[in-house]
Structure formats: structure tokens, C-alpha cells
Amino acid sequence: MWKNDYNRWKEFTELDADLASKLEELTSDEQSLEDAFYKNLEFGTGGMRGKLGPGTNRMNIYTVRKAAEGLATYVNDQGLSNRGVAIAYDSRYMSKEFAVETARVLGHHGIPSYVFTSLRPTPELSFAVRHLNAAAGVVVTASHNPPEYNGFKAYNEDGGQLPPEQAEIMIDFVNKVENELKVEAADQQELEEKGLLRWIDDDVDAAYLEALKGVTVQPDIKKDLSLVFTPLHGTARDLVEKGLEQSGFTSIHIVEEQAKPDPEFSTVASPNPEEHQAFEMAIDQGKAIGADLLMATDPDADRLGVAVPNEKGEYVVLTGNQTGALLLDYILGQSEQLPKNGLLIKTIVTSEFGRVIANSYGIRSLDTLTGFKFIGEKIREYEQTGEHTFMFGYEESYGYLVKDFARDKDAVQAAVLAAEVGAHWKNQGKTLLDALDELYEKHGYFLEDLQSMKLEGKSGTEQIKAIMDDFRNAEIKEAGGKEVVAIEDYAKTIRKHVQDRTEEEIDLPTSNVVKFILEDDCWFCLRPSGTEPKIKFYYGVKSDTRKESEELLASVKATVNERLHALI
């Protein structure tokens, strides 16, 4: 069946010359050829992402045009075509080309595009959609995937990633495009002359930086803090540096070897601040100058990692849960007056630490499914109803949103606030690790972990299903000596209370996730990956000391792994 698509490409006389040459190279490698054509590159709820190259299962100008055609139909269907679409892109191979191809397809349908002239962070695209009152947005990025990948992320008129209901409509429009090679794209120069392709830059940057001033909680504190920042060859340098400078920081040191955009991400194994190896150069520079704080962003600048020196002078990379807890406590603890209807929004696999901190300030917490689009969706809902005032949103995977002028996780905002938090505690003779220890002493020692199991192919898919079915249907009464008090099945959107056997509905969209709530703020959760052949196991425990929490975490994991290995 895949050979029909291959032949269609092979016989297409107007095929892009570079893609035609690469397609010819594939003819000697049957397996690679099949992989390039055996399916269409899937456009899911987060857009699409894949390897670059020729084929229906690859990122190229034709599959991008197909996605853009679906977006154009979506925008017209919503009656918003006159408002246009904002488009940004990162430092990857073909990113700007794909951005222009998107604009050309939209322009063919009479839809204006607002395209940045050079690479920009994903959160600035979210801001630009709102600032320009656009109908939608697109970011060409593959986040922190390897260099051979690129992607297409779609945003709604609120500046958030498409939530499920909107995503399903657009996915349907994309899937109805029968032949990606036949999607029409207007001439770039003609679109520019007609005002249907408009280049944007300084005005949006200036507006974003003005909004960024609102992230500051204590504008007048002393900011004598030595910072090392690396954008990991991505998009964040300009806005992070300017944001820090306008906030009052003067001792900013950039890791120059990683400051220049580089589609190969040549100095790191993975351009992901969640991976400690990404901090190696920043740590070397930090030690050389005695820096108080290290920060790293991923290529599209929606994730921030933070590292601080311990008492031995060695830099410790904080987890996303730890950084989130510090930012949250600072916002709530240093704000002049907290709203009575204030709200923290986090995901179901993010630490309970945040909820406990918020509760201590009288602030309510709300859990969403994994993915920042759900946090953005809730911000919009409460903005419209006035029921709650958004205070902070975060997820364990290094994503934070401080102010809602963007509707996606924003590492630029997070970097400016993290620096301020570091300065606040330095003024009191403390580091972020000291501040974290104080939070643990006050609220309990929260500790989290994540395990992933890779199960590939058809048999792997069947194994993942069997694991989910087993845990979903088993009567697990305890884990690590902690009693199971409730089981949350997000596929059925049901929370079952174990002791009295009552049930209640979970007011969230369906998702193939099972979470076991244990006593004393402990839990574990199972979730198949939406993008890889993996099943993920999340753990969270709380005890009085680090040692006790480490032992408890090991015990809970052992309980889960014992059952898991019996299944495998």
C-alpha cells in the first residue's frame, strides 16, 4: 500500500529538487523507504512532529502545506479569516522555510499571515496571537527533539495550544486533505505586495518586554546576583537577556559556545534542560566565576532548568517540581495582597508540594491533564467567568507560566522570576537550596520520580495495553506500606474512594491515565506516552526527612515494579 504513495511522489514532475534527490537516495534502502511512506505523518492534538525528509511520514514542504491547508479550512470555518495567523519558528533545519510555506498556503485562501523575520521563542508566538488579535498561531519547532526532527504546533485565538475539542476539528480538516502534493501555495512576493504576508519583529518584541515587567514581584530589591545563562543553541538569548537587564540584573554571563542558534545543537547530546548533561558548559563557567545561579532553556524557550551551588560549591540541578515550588512560594509569600479567589493550576502528575504550599496561603489548587494546553484552557475559562484569579501554572517537566499574557509555558518569564527569587534569598544570606530546605521543613519532604519503559512494535503496544488494563482492574490495596485511599481512572473520568466504595466524576477530558492516591500525600500514576512507544510511571511521596522520603519512594516503586515485572 505504501508503494502507491511512493510512486505518486516519484511520478510528481514538480517535486522539489532537493526532496527528489533525497528520494532517489532512499531507493537503495527498502526499509528506510517504507518508513518514509508507510503512513501519513500524524497530525494530533499537539500538531505534528517528525523526521525531515521526503515522504508522507516525514516533515517536508508538502506535509507542512497539508497541515497549513487544514489550518486555513479551520480558520475559515471559525469565521476568523480576516484576523490572520501569527507564525514563529525556531533554529532547526527548514524552520523558516516551513513558516513561509505555511504563510503561502494561508495566503492562497486570502488569510493574512504575520511572520517573524527571525527565530523567536514559542511563548512569544503565544503572546503575538493575543497582541495582534490573530485568529490562530503556528510555531515551527520540534522542541528538544534530535536535530533531524522538526514540527508544526497550532494555537487558537487565545494564544493557547488547541484543546481537545478544537484540535479534533482541525485534525479532521487536515486528514481530509487527500493529496499533499496538490495543495496550492501562493507566490511569496505577491502576498507581500497584497499585505497578506506581513513581517513582524520589533513592535511585538517591545510589547512582550513591556508585559514582561509585570512578572517582577519586588521591583526595588537589591539584585546583586551573578547569573550564567545558556539558550542551548535556541531562541531564548535575546529576550531573556533583555528581560533580565530591564529587571535590574547586571551580572549576566552567557555561555557563548551555546548562544548561537545551531540546528545541530552541536555542544550537547540533547538540548533539553531536563537532562543534566545540558548544564555541563554552564557549570564549568559558573565555577570559574562563582555564579550564584545557572539557567538553561530548551530550543523553543518554553522550558527552563535551574542549577544552584551547594555548600561544597557543586552545582545542583533542581527538578521541575522543586523550581515550581520555589517560584510559587515566592509569588504568594511576597505579593502585597492575595486575591480571595486566587488559583494555582498544575497537572495531575505534578508534585503535591505545590498544592500544600498554595493551601498554606489560602490559595486553591486545580489539577489538569498532562499538557500545558489544559492549563491555558482553564485560564481562559476563569478569565471569562471571573470565578478565579490565575496566580501560577506549572508542570513537572520544567514548564511554568507566571503571568497570563502568554497562554503556554514561558521560560522567559520563568527565567526573570527565578533570578529575582535567587536575589531575594541571597539578600537574606541564603541560596535557593536553603529556601527549598525551609519549605521542606515547613510542609514535609516531597520527593518525586519518573520511570519510562520502552515497548516497541505491535507486541509493545499490546504489552502497554495489558499493563494499563491490569493496574486499572486490579484491587491494589497498598504500595510501599501506604494504603491506597482512592483510584482515579481518567479514561472513565471516575474517582473511586476505596474505603467506602463510593465514586465521583472527575471533571476533566478522558485520557488513558490511572492514578493511585495513597495516604499522606503519596501517589503513583501510569500513563502511556502520546508520542513514543513508552509507558511512563510517575511517583510522588512525602515524609518528614529526605532519608525517609527516599526510602518510601524506593518502597513504592518496588511495589509497582514487582507487579510490572510479573506482567512482563
Side-chain angles (χ1 to χ4, degrees), residues 90-92 119 231-235 237 258-265:
D90 69 4
S91 56
R92 291 178 175 273
L119 74 174
L232 296 179
H233 302 295
T235 62
R237 176 177 183 170
Q258 297 175 329
K260 186 177 179 181
D262 175 11
E264 284 293 328
F265 310 111

Side-chain angles (χ1 to χ4, degrees), residues 100 104 186-197 199:
V100 172
R104 291 179 63 206
D187 179 75
Q188 178 181 335
Q189 186 174 341
E190 289 182 9
L191 292 177
E192 291 171 342
E193 292 171 354
K194 292 178 180 178
L196 289 173
L197 197 170
W199 296 99

Side-chain angles (χ1 to χ4, degrees), residues 266-282:
S266 52
T267 66
V268 288
S270 170
N272 183 359
E274 291 182 271
E275 305 287 343
H276 289 192
Q277 55 80 27
F279 272 93
E280 287 178 359
M281 285 190 169

Side-chain angles (χ1 to χ4, degrees), residues 225-243:
L225 193 76
S226 178
L227 302 161
V228 171
F229 170 62
T230 172
L232 296 179
H233 302 295
T235 62
R237 176 177 183 170
D238 188 56
L239 285 182
V240 168
E241 198 166 12
K242 288 178 179 176

Side-chain angles (χ1 to χ4, degrees), residues 202-216:
D202 296 344
D203 289 348
V204 179
D205 290 346
Y208 178 89
L209 286 167
E210 184 63 29
L212 191 63
K213 293 178 182 177
V215 169
T216 299

Side-chain angles (χ1 to χ4, degrees), residues 17-219:
D18 182 59
L19 288 173
S21 174
K22 291 176 178 176
L23 184 62
E24 185 63 32
E25 293 174 9
L26 285 179
T27 56
S28 60
D29 186 347
E30 181 83 3
Q31 185 175 346
S32 296
L33 189 65
E34 180 179 1
D35 190 56
F37 284 97
Y38 85 97
K39 66 175 182 176
N40 291 329
L41 187 62
E42 182 178 354
F43 194 99
T45 55
M48 66 181 188
R49 190 180 298 184
K51 291 182 179 180
L52 294 160
T56 57
N57 189 33
R58 293 289 183 265
M59 284 290 297
N60 52 63
I61 60 171
Y62 302 108
T63 52
V64 167
R65 286 178 185 175
K66 178 179 178 179
E69 180 76 8
L71 176 61
T73 308
Y74 171 83
V75 170
N76 282 328
D77 181 71
Q78 299 289 308
L80 302 173
S81 57
N82 62 311
R83 288 168 54 181
V85 176
I87 303 174
Y89 51 92
D90 69 4
S91 56
R92 291 178 175 273
Y93 290 115
M94 297 297 293
S95 281
K96 187 170 186 177
E97 290 86 345
F98 291 162
V100 172
E101 289 300 322
T102 300
R104 291 179 63 206
V105 172
L106 293 169
H108 173 75
H109 291 274
I111 300 171
S113 292
Y114 307 94
V115 188
F116 284 100
T117 60
S118 58
L119 74 174
R120 287 296 188 284
T122 287
E124 189 178 4
L125 180 278
S126 174
F127 172 82
V129 171
R130 299 172 57 78
H131 178 69
L132 298 168
N133 192 34
V138 170
V139 179
V140 180
T141 179
S143 189
H144 48 262
N145 273 54
E148 64 269 21
Y149 282 77
N150 212 328
F152 180 109
K153 290 170 67 174
Y155 288 73
N156 64 14
E157 73 277 12
D158 190 51
Q161 292 186 54
L162 298 177
E165 188 174 332
Q166 290 181 318
E168 288 302 322
I169 296 171
M170 184 168 165
I171 291 167
D172 186 53
F173 286 136
V174 173
N175 290 339
K176 284 180 179 177
V177 179
E178 295 182 356
N179 188 343
E180 69 285 344
L181 299 176
K182 298 295 186 180
V183 174
E184 296 188 57
D187 179 75
Q188 178 181 335
Q189 186 174 341
E190 289 182 9
L191 292 177
E192 291 171 342
E193 292 171 354
K194 292 178 180 178
L196 289 173
L197 197 170
R198 308 172 194 178
W199 296 99
I200 57 174
D201 262 324
D202 296 344
D203 289 348
V204 179
D205 290 346
Y208 178 89
L209 286 167
E210 184 63 29
L212 191 63
K213 293 178 182 177
V215 169
T216 299
V217 178
Q218 299 183 92

